[in-house]
Amino acid sequence: MPRKLPFRVIHASGQDESYRASELNYHSPLTKGWQASRYCLYPQDIVLQLDQRCRLRKIQILSHQYLIATKIEFFVGDVPEDMSPNLENARYTRLGYVSLSDNEKTGFKARELKSVHVDAVGLYLKLNIHKNHINKYNIYNQVGIIAINVIGETLKGPSDFMDPEYYLDPDRKGQLDDLGLDTYNKPDYISPLDDLAFDMYQDPEIAGIIRKLEKKKQEAVLQERFDYAKRLKSAITELQKVGEKLGKYEVEKRQAVENEDYDKAKLKKVQMDEYRLQVYRDLNLADLLETTGSRHPQVIDLEPIRQATPPRLLELTPRSPIQRSPPRTPPPRTPYDERPLPALKSKETPRELPSTPPQRTSYDERPLPVKPPAVPDEEPEPAETAVGITGEPEPLTEKDLREASAAIDVFGEQLVSKAYSKTWSYREDALLAVYKQMQDLPATAPKDEAKSMMRASIFLVKKAIDDKVYAVFKAGLHLLKMILTEYVPKHKIPKQDTVWAVEKSMQNLLHKSGDTAVRNRDDAKNFVLEMARYPEVKPTNCVPHEAVKPMKNTVAPRLGQSRCEIVEMLYKDLGIKTNSGLNIDNMMQFCVAALGHHAGEVRDVSERIIKALYKEERQAVKDYLPADDDKTRKITLYRQLFEYFDKVDGKPSKADVRKQRSDEETKKQAEIEALQKQLQSLKDMASGKQPVDENLLKADKNKKKNEPPKKSKVINKKPAADDDDTSVYNMDNICIFCGERNEIFVYSVVRGMKVLQKKDLIYINYAFSVFVYSVVRGMKVLQKKDLIYINLCFVFSICIFCGERNESFTEEGLDLHYWKHCPMLKRCTNCKQVVEIATYTDHLLNECEAKNNYSKCNRCTEAIPKSEYDQHVSEKSCNAAKSSSNHCPLCHQNVSSGEDGWKNHLMGKDGCKQNPRRLLSLNKNPSTGGTSKNKPKATGKNKKTPR
């Protein structure tokens, strides 16, 4: 099993005279560590020699707080078998390196502990330390290491280190190696006692004792002395706290000596000696270490246990109780007990401490009970207590005397000893006696006496509330109720003292509300609600204030649920009035903290409170919750809350909206598919692949006549006056480019259409009842008398934006042209949608997904990112737009008005230099430098093409 390996530093390339490399050989809170010399050359080397050839498993480095190296490399060295083991013959293998933080975040006050797991065999360990991090404290460019720890396994027999005197050597303070037993059968298990942090913060003497006790504990486990092992475990835990405290005192004493404050140093020394001796007496260290020999036989006979009926317990029944063994001679004092006890400097008369440790019977030597054990739910009678001879409560211990000193001064030691008794009936009698004394106190008694009695009684009430026996707990509640409802008004206790009493008892009541027993939980919660209504307590609002203090996420689920239920009960009873102590702020802070708890039952109660609060204060509740967006609604908890809020507000839920949109999309898709089939039939008829179906044409005509006006405007084929807005210009089925006449050459003049929403289907009834459709995207407003030429792509093969004619312009070919080549279009940098360059500014401001990130400049009328808007406006360097012309969003120049102006600018030879598609268009058709009169024109704003 890996253990802490002893070593010594045999080489260092440099060192400060005050911080020598030999400091790394020992670990204690006073270790100063090694520092390189000032303005040294890097890298610096340190070589450690192990006591013998070992297998290294873990290396630990504790760095200086501001003399920090940037990198430390590790090399393991070994000597070939045919050479003498010395440093000159060592051959090194590089293991790797670790990087150290510059420690700037901690203000150069924390030390970094690096632990590296390795697997290497060798006799030497070399550290290659690179240059330092630069900071204002490291003025000499030094590096420093406080401590080094090596953990591993020896490859040869540990005969050289089995001598106990080796570990008690004062030069090896706290370096007791646990060569003990692999109790847990874990070959790679590393004891926490071998960790570097243990030695660096523990008093060396206490650390050595802890290691002895740990070894004793492992031996006790192997011998199945589990009670003894349990005592050792408890003592080890206590000693670890003591060792850390003594280590802190030792550092403070050393600091006082360096500052030449010898009075403080003496005081710290006396304080350490007193504390150390007191701990040794309280733990009865000599008994734990068994310095006089083990009280348990080493050889354990397990044969009787294997029998069907254990005869040993049966033999004890008819006999009289086993007599205790006579008191043994006290063991000789340990070296720690021989120290003189320093005089106490307290003004009070110190209690006399026994000169010898009290005689205690070892737990393993106690006789077995004659009568069967009592039922766990029943409390023993007074005569069956540990003292149990006279029926009197057991005397108070030193710790209890110090803790209950204020209550003893008021009620006397005899009554308080009953409150501390192990017998529940004594504890209940003590509370009843306090109840009677407080009721009998006359109203004319001095106010200071009344306040002192109330403070002492609250101390006993807190202890009673935490009691596990229900009768004692109820007696404590009964006493507290009398204090708050009768005693306080009778003696006119000041308000601040009443608040103190409530706050002190509330902490215990809230903790009791998480008890495992149901009746204890219910009584605690009901008493808190009842206490909030008391006339003397309600005006202070201290009960609600204590109840709504946010709790941590680590609170036990049962306790967290009870806390939330108490707040819910108080809210239902008191409301959120101005004088109730509850308001939106403190309640929402409590509920939001509870929403983060890992237990679902805690979150459920908190959710109920938030829903109830939302009915009263809607916007205020939402201010404490995350923003209502799609990202937040992905979280189930918040989605349920926001859907409930929508229901309260009368809004349809997101699920209903999604369902409605889905139905509409399904219906629209069905219409599109039907129209596509019909159009395909028309195409087949036009190409001669299919004979003309008059029934289809008539049915289509009848269908269009019966169509409601909101879908499309039925345009009659009859001449009309020039000023008739509803007239149709019948072009006699003639192609406006080549003059060919054909029935399938249809188009229409659409006039007076006002608004077309994005992705709407525009149905147009042509002459000769040919029904076609076109998907027009993003068209916003069509001005009156505007002409829109709707052409069939398979007939004309022309781009309606730039006018380019190409036989490959099928439906898919046009989409590709729009997406990559059309010089009149561009892709939006945010949403990647293809839009007209002429309407790109309107798209960014009104339609784009990122429209909230743009603002319009009143000078140049362009869309400017909000992050740059203030600078853009303040500089006034943009090209001002003119009212009589267009403004190009690419080159920021003014363009001639009208569609021809846009085409000349975006497609001409001397056009927009910032339009990359212009050159591609010119290369395709060098003869075109502007517009063509024979090309169809597409007017309207923000025509968008498919992506």
Side-chain angles (χ1 to χ4, degrees), residues 896-910:
S896 301
S897 60
E899 184 181 356
D900 290 340
W902 276 114
K903 285 194 174 183
N904 286 328
H905 179 70
L906 296 174
M907 299 173 55
K909 293 181 179 180
D910 299 327

PDB file of all heavy atoms in Angstrom, residues 896-910:
ATOM      1  N   SER A 896     -29.906  57.255 -59.037  1.00  0.00           N
ATOM      2  CA  SER A 896     -31.035  57.871 -59.731  1.00  0.00           C
ATOM      3  C   SER A 896     -32.324  57.176 -59.328  1.00  0.00           C
ATOM      4  O   SER A 896     -32.361  55.963 -59.100  1.00  0.00           O
ATOM      5  CB  SER A 896     -30.840  57.786 -61.253  1.00  0.00           C
ATOM      6  OG  SER A 896     -29.645  58.441 -61.636  1.00  0.00           O
ATOM      7  N   SER A 897     -33.390  57.938 -59.294  1.00  0.00           N
ATOM      8  CA  SER A 897     -34.665  57.386 -58.854  1.00  0.00           C
ATOM      9  C   SER A 897     -35.215  56.441 -59.911  1.00  0.00           C
ATOM     10  O   SER A 897     -34.853  56.501 -61.090  1.00  0.00           O
ATOM     11  CB  SER A 897     -35.657  58.515 -58.574  1.00  0.00           C
ATOM     12  OG  SER A 897     -35.870  59.282 -59.758  1.00  0.00           O
ATOM     13  N   GLY A 898     -36.108  55.585 -59.486  1.00  0.00           N
ATOM     14  CA  GLY A 898     -36.752  54.656 -60.391  1.00  0.00           C
ATOM     15  C   GLY A 898     -35.980  53.356 -60.528  1.00  0.00           C
ATOM     16  O   GLY A 898     -34.828  53.216 -60.100  1.00  0.00           O
ATOM     17  N   GLU A 899     -36.662  52.372 -61.166  1.00  0.00           N
ATOM     18  CA  GLU A 899     -36.056  51.060 -61.342  1.00  0.00           C
ATOM     19  C   GLU A 899     -34.881  51.099 -62.303  1.00  0.00           C
ATOM     20  O   GLU A 899     -33.875  50.409 -62.107  1.00  0.00           O
ATOM     21  CB  GLU A 899     -37.112  50.076 -61.833  1.00  0.00           C
ATOM     22  CG  GLU A 899     -36.592  48.659 -61.955  1.00  0.00           C
ATOM     23  CD  GLU A 899     -37.658  47.713 -62.463  1.00  0.00           C
ATOM     24  OE1 GLU A 899     -38.812  48.159 -62.633  1.00  0.00           O
ATOM     25  OE2 GLU A 899     -37.331  46.546 -62.710  1.00  0.00           O
ATOM     26  N   ASP A 900     -34.978  51.958 -63.324  1.00  0.00           N
ATOM     27  CA  ASP A 900     -33.874  52.052 -64.275  1.00  0.00           C
ATOM     28  C   ASP A 900     -32.614  52.562 -63.587  1.00  0.00           C
ATOM     29  O   ASP A 900     -31.495  52.138 -63.913  1.00  0.00           O
ATOM     30  CB  ASP A 900     -34.254  52.979 -65.437  1.00  0.00           C
ATOM     31  CG  ASP A 900     -35.320  52.361 -66.328  1.00  0.00           C
ATOM     32  OD1 ASP A 900     -35.471  51.118 -66.269  1.00  0.00           O
ATOM     33  OD2 ASP A 900     -35.986  53.102 -67.067  1.00  0.00           O
ATOM     34  N   GLY A 901     -32.794  53.467 -62.662  1.00  0.00           N
ATOM     35  CA  GLY A 901     -31.635  53.965 -61.919  1.00  0.00           C
ATOM     36  C   GLY A 901     -30.952  52.856 -61.137  1.00  0.00           C
ATOM     37  O   GLY A 901     -29.713  52.776 -61.095  1.00  0.00           O
ATOM     38  N   TRP A 902     -31.732  51.994 -60.499  1.00  0.00           N
ATOM     39  CA  TRP A 902     -31.155  50.864 -59.751  1.00  0.00           C
ATOM     40  C   TRP A 902     -30.427  49.907 -60.702  1.00  0.00           C
ATOM     41  O   TRP A 902     -29.330  49.433 -60.393  1.00  0.00           O
ATOM     42  CB  TRP A 902     -32.247  50.110 -59.003  1.00  0.00           C
ATOM     43  CG  TRP A 902     -32.610  50.707 -57.676  1.00  0.00           C
ATOM     44  CD1 TRP A 902     -33.792  51.274 -57.323  1.00  0.00           C
ATOM     45  CD2 TRP A 902     -31.765  50.786 -56.535  1.00  0.00           C
ATOM     46  NE1 TRP A 902     -33.752  51.722 -56.036  1.00  0.00           N
ATOM     47  CE2 TRP A 902     -32.505  51.426 -55.511  1.00  0.00           C
ATOM     48  CE3 TRP A 902     -30.454  50.416 -56.269  1.00  0.00           C
ATOM     49  CZ2 TRP A 902     -31.988  51.683 -54.263  1.00  0.00           C
ATOM     50  CZ3 TRP A 902     -29.931  50.669 -55.017  1.00  0.00           C
ATOM     51  CH2 TRP A 902     -30.682  51.293 -54.020  1.00  0.00           C
ATOM     52  N   LYS A 903     -31.038  49.620 -61.874  1.00  0.00           N
ATOM     53  CA  LYS A 903     -30.410  48.665 -62.783  1.00  0.00           C
ATOM     54  C   LYS A 903     -29.114  49.216 -63.366  1.00  0.00           C
ATOM     55  O   LYS A 903     -28.121  48.498 -63.496  1.00  0.00           O
ATOM     56  CB  LYS A 903     -31.379  48.302 -63.896  1.00  0.00           C
ATOM     57  CG  LYS A 903     -32.476  47.350 -63.444  1.00  0.00           C
ATOM     58  CD  LYS A 903     -33.204  46.761 -64.620  1.00  0.00           C
ATOM     59  CE  LYS A 903     -34.187  45.694 -64.164  1.00  0.00           C
ATOM     60  NZ  LYS A 903     -34.860  45.044 -65.301  1.00  0.00           N
ATOM     61  N   ASN A 904     -29.122  50.522 -63.697  1.00  0.00           N
ATOM     62  CA  ASN A 904     -27.893  51.117 -64.212  1.00  0.00           C
ATOM     63  C   ASN A 904     -26.789  51.078 -63.154  1.00  0.00           C
ATOM     64  O   ASN A 904     -25.623  50.869 -63.461  1.00  0.00           O
ATOM     65  CB  ASN A 904     -28.145  52.552 -64.661  1.00  0.00           C
ATOM     66  CG  ASN A 904     -28.921  52.612 -65.969  1.00  0.00           C
ATOM     67  OD1 ASN A 904     -28.782  51.722 -66.815  1.00  0.00           O
ATOM     68  ND2 ASN A 904     -29.739  53.649 -66.137  1.00  0.00           N
ATOM     69  N   HIS A 905     -27.178  51.302 -61.900  1.00  0.00           N
ATOM     70  CA  HIS A 905     -26.178  51.350 -60.829  1.00  0.00           C
ATOM     71  C   HIS A 905     -25.672  49.959 -60.467  1.00  0.00           C
ATOM     72  O   HIS A 905     -24.471  49.769 -60.227  1.00  0.00           O
ATOM     73  CB  HIS A 905     -26.792  52.017 -59.591  1.00  0.00           C
ATOM     74  CG  HIS A 905     -25.847  52.090 -58.425  1.00  0.00           C
ATOM     75  ND1 HIS A 905     -24.736  52.913 -58.407  1.00  0.00           N
ATOM     76  CD2 HIS A 905     -25.848  51.435 -57.227  1.00  0.00           C
ATOM     77  CE1 HIS A 905     -24.088  52.761 -57.275  1.00  0.00           C
ATOM     78  NE2 HIS A 905     -24.743  51.872 -56.521  1.00  0.00           N
ATOM     79  N   LEU A 906     -26.561  48.973 -60.432  1.00  0.00           N
ATOM     80  CA  LEU A 906     -26.171  47.645 -59.968  1.00  0.00           C
ATOM     81  C   LEU A 906     -25.665  46.742 -61.094  1.00  0.00           C
ATOM     82  O   LEU A 906     -24.970  45.756 -60.825  1.00  0.00           O
ATOM     83  CB  LEU A 906     -27.360  46.956 -59.265  1.00  0.00           C
ATOM     84  CG  LEU A 906     -27.841  47.641 -57.976  1.00  0.00           C
ATOM     85  CD1 LEU A 906     -29.106  46.955 -57.475  1.00  0.00           C
ATOM     86  CD2 LEU A 906     -26.762  47.606 -56.910  1.00  0.00           C
ATOM     87  N   MET A 907     -25.978  47.063 -62.366  1.00  0.00           N
ATOM     88  CA  MET A 907     -25.617  46.177 -63.460  1.00  0.00           C
ATOM     89  C   MET A 907     -24.733  46.848 -64.519  1.00  0.00           C
ATOM     90  O   MET A 907     -24.153  46.170 -65.356  1.00  0.00           O
ATOM     91  CB  MET A 907     -26.881  45.641 -64.153  1.00  0.00           C
ATOM     92  CG  MET A 907     -27.783  44.831 -63.226  1.00  0.00           C
ATOM     93  SD  MET A 907     -29.335  44.381 -64.007  1.00  0.00           S
ATOM     94  CE  MET A 907     -28.777  43.551 -65.467  1.00  0.00           C
ATOM     95  N   GLY A 908     -24.642  48.180 -64.488  1.00  0.00           N
ATOM     96  CA  GLY A 908     -23.913  48.880 -65.526  1.00  0.00           C
ATOM     97  C   GLY A 908     -22.409  48.758 -65.388  1.00  0.00           C
ATOM     98  O   GLY A 908     -21.876  48.377 -64.338  1.00  0.00           O
ATOM     99  N   LYS A 909     -21.697  49.137 -66.468  1.00  0.00           N
ATOM    100  CA  LYS A 909     -20.244  49.050 -66.464  1.00  0.00           C
ATOM    101  C   LYS A 909     -19.623  49.996 -65.450  1.00  0.00           C
ATOM    102  O   LYS A 909     -18.597  49.689 -64.860  1.00  0.00           O
ATOM    103  CB  LYS A 909     -19.708  49.363 -67.868  1.00  0.00           C
ATOM    104  CG  LYS A 909     -20.069  48.316 -68.906  1.00  0.00           C
ATOM    105  CD  LYS A 909     -19.483  48.665 -70.259  1.00  0.00           C
ATOM    106  CE  LYS A 909     -19.829  47.603 -71.302  1.00  0.00           C
ATOM    107  NZ  LYS A 909     -19.265  47.942 -72.636  1.00  0.00           N
ATOM    108  N   ASP A 910     -20.226  51.158 -65.273  1.00  0.00           N
ATOM    109  CA  ASP A 910     -19.716  52.138 -64.314  1.00  0.00           C
ATOM    110  C   ASP A 910     -20.570  52.150 -63.047  1.00  0.00           C
ATOM    111  O   ASP A 910     -20.708  53.187 -62.386  1.00  0.00           O
ATOM    112  CB  ASP A 910     -19.710  53.534 -64.960  1.00  0.00           C
ATOM    113  CG  ASP A 910     -18.824  53.580 -66.183  1.00  0.00           C
ATOM    114  OD1 ASP A 910     -17.801  52.860 -66.163  1.00  0.00           O
ATOM    115  OD2 ASP A 910     -19.156  54.328 -67.127  1.00  0.00           O
TER     116      ASP A 910
END
